[in-house]
Amino acid sequence: MGKSSKDKRDLYYRKAKEEGYRARSAFKLLQLNEQFQLFKDVKRVVDLCAAPGSWSQVLSREIFSRDEPDAKIVAVDLQPMASIPNVTTLQADITHPKTLAKILEIFGGEPADFVCSDGAPDVTGLHDLDEYIQAQLILCALQLTTCILKPGGNFVAKIFRGRDIDLLYSQLGYLFDKVICAKPRASRGTSLESFIVCLGYRPRPGWTPTLREDGSTEEFFEGSGIGRASLRDDLELEEEERVIAPFIACGDLSAYDSDATYTLEEGFSSTSLDPVQMPTAPPYKKALEMKRKGLLK
Ligand code: SAM
């Protein structure tokens, strides 16, 4: 499939290139913001798992268009990222405690108003393993968030609505005033992808979350008020409460449907557009170099 056929098939892909966004995911954050006004009064933002950087582009355009000279956006990813105006990029692993220290240093010790994470690990194809790694990534994003988000601040993270998602909703309910599962129209209906929107961070008084390299997740959340499965005195297993979070589809109805196929007559020119940003370190780079040197058999 050539890039022009993808331009026609997926209008968010096309629209991203037209508007100068590095990825179509930009529209997911824009639609989430339309619904929840996530950027209102926000000055310090952490964009976790940010490469290639379309969410950071949205944040930079929205926040700095309001003339906020002292605003700060930090974008973190394992992959290197090409620079984005007004964004500090950090090539780091969000699961490592040192990353938190680096972000705090950039913020001069001040807390963040908003943290978002669009993290997705490389898929192995082993479904259970993939689901487990994704759940761990969300947990790491949440741990980092609890250490940096100001009380009253908001957190948004990508989730895949798998088997134990109701448990996550319930656990988040101990930390935030409102937890909503949102599906922007730019996210394909055929995918299990959704976003948890957690509004109003409310850590339990007296709980000071501390990330340690040798600490377990259980130790981390000790004192946070999050319930966990435990044995009662009568040896009955007290299960963690499972909660169904309200589900909201967002993006206005005139927005494009990601699963629909559009024709060129519907307002799009037939010229294919070049990518906004070429990949900085694509996995195929080494193979191309080897091929050039005739080292690839
Ligand atoms: N929001 C981005 C945008 O709009 O351009 C797209 C993010 S992409 C779907 C998911 C990203 O998660 C990948 O770039 C990947 O490198 C990153 N990622 C996965 N695990 C990570 C980790 N442990 N630490 C940092 N980044 C991670």
Side-chain angles (χ1 to χ4, degrees), residues 229-232 234-240:
S230 55
L231 274 184
R232 290 202 315 238
D234 57 4
L235 297 184
E236 276 286 304
L237 186 69
E238 208 158 318
E239 279 278 357
E240 270 183 86

Side-chain angles (χ1 to χ4, degrees), residues 174-175 203-209 217-228:
Y174 288 95
L175 298 169
R204 193 184 221 189
W207 178 54
T208 315
T217 311
E218 207 162 47
E219 284 163 350
F220 179 87
F221 285 109
E222 220 169 60
S224 68
I226 290 187
R228 51 181 293 269

Side-chain angles (χ1 to χ4, degrees), residues 100 142-148 201 203-204 206-212 219-222 224:
L100 169 67
L142 176 64
Q143 284 179 276
L144 195 148
T145 300
T146 58
C147 294
I148 203 163
Y201 179 45
R204 193 184 221 189
W207 178 54
T208 315
T210 315
L211 266 184
R212 288 205 331 259
E219 284 163 350
F220 179 87
F221 285 109
E222 220 169 60
S224 68

Side-chain angles (χ1 to χ4, degrees), residues 25 49-55 77-79 92-94 118-120 137 158:
S25 1
C49 302
S54 78
W55 279 25
D77 203 285
L78 287 172
Q79 305 294 332
D93 184 348
I94 70 153
D118 192 21
L137 196 62
K158 171 153 72 195

Side-chain angles (χ1 to χ4, degrees), residues 19-294:
E19 294 186 20
Y21 290 119
R22 295 176 184 181
R24 66 191 294 294
S25 1
F27 298 103
K28 299 176 192 170
L29 185 60
L30 283 164
Q31 290 171 355
L32 287 167
N33 178 53
E34 258 171 49
Q35 182 75 37
F36 300 102
Q37 286 80 50
L38 298 166
F39 307 150
K40 191 167 175 267
D41 301 328
V42 156
K43 276 192 177 179
R44 276 179 302 273
V45 184
V46 187
D47 181 8
L48 298 172
C49 302
S54 78
W55 279 25
S56 287
Q57 288 181 291
V58 168
L59 290 162
S60 170
R61 290 183 194 183
E62 294 278 329
I63 295 170
F64 282 86
S65 68
R66 294 197 303 247
D67 193 23
E68 297 272 15
D70 51 343
K72 279 207 167 94
I73 301 168
V74 182
V76 187
D77 203 285
L78 287 172
Q79 305 294 332
M81 251 179 290
S83 66
I84 299 168
N86 305 310
V87 175
T88 307
T89 54
L90 204 60
Q91 189 176 358
D93 184 348
I94 70 153
T95 68
H96 200 287
K98 276 190 188 153
T99 304
L100 169 67
K102 285 184 196 154
I103 303 171
L104 280 169
E105 200 183 304
I106 295 167
F107 282 168
E110 295 289 321
D113 303 310
F114 176 50
V115 181
C116 54
S117 171
D118 192 21
D122 287 341
V123 177
T124 66
L126 300 170
H127 191 70
D128 284 349
L129 182 63
D130 288 338
E131 204 175 305
Y132 174 77
I133 298 174
Q134 174 68 22
Q136 290 305 304
L137 196 62
I138 295 167
L139 209 53
C140 289
L142 176 64
Q143 284 179 276
L144 195 148
T145 300
T146 58
C147 294
I148 203 163
L149 189 61
K150 70 169 189 195
N154 301 330
F155 170 58
V156 166
K158 171 153 72 195
I159 53 165
F160 290 96
R161 281 165 294 142
R163 266 171 308 185
D164 287 325
I165 204 63
D166 44 357
L167 196 55
L168 177 70
Y169 297 150
S170 135
Q171 291 168 336
L172 289 167
Y174 288 95
L175 298 169
F176 292 88
D177 287 334
K178 265 193 194 160
V179 179
I180 300 137
C181 174
K183 178 90 174 169
R185 272 171 77 81
S187 171
R188 292 190 180 91
T190 44
S191 140
L192 283 180
E193 175 189 86
S194 288
F195 294 84
I196 32 160
V197 179
C198 306
L199 305 175
Y201 179 45
R202 182 183 25 83
R204 193 184 221 189
W207 178 54
T208 315
T210 315
L211 266 184
R212 288 205 331 259
E213 236 170 281
D214 55 351
S216 68
T217 311
E218 207 162 47
E219 284 163 350
F220 179 87
F221 285 109
E222 220 169 60
S224 68
I226 290 187
R228 51 181 293 269
S230 55
L231 274 184
R232 290 202 315 238
D233 288 348
D234 57 4
L235 297 184
E236 276 286 304
L237 186 69
E238 208 158 318
E239 279 278 357
E240 270 183 86
E241 193 192 346
R242 287 174 181 252
V243 169
I244 309 281
F247 182 88
I248 294 184
C250 49
D252 102 37
L253 282 183
S254 62
Y256 297 114
D257 176 348
S258 326
D259 294 304
T261 301
Y262 293 87
T263 58
L264 288 178
E265 294 80 64
E266 288 172 270
F268 284 83
S269 80
S270 54
T271 22
S272 84
L273 300 172
D274 286 331
V276 171
Q277 177 68 50
M278 295 311 280
T280 42
Y284 49 82
K285 194 172 170 182
K286 191 168 173 200
L288 284 181
E289 274 166 17
M290 287 172 74
K291 191 174 174 193
R292 219 170 289 131
K293 291 179 189 158

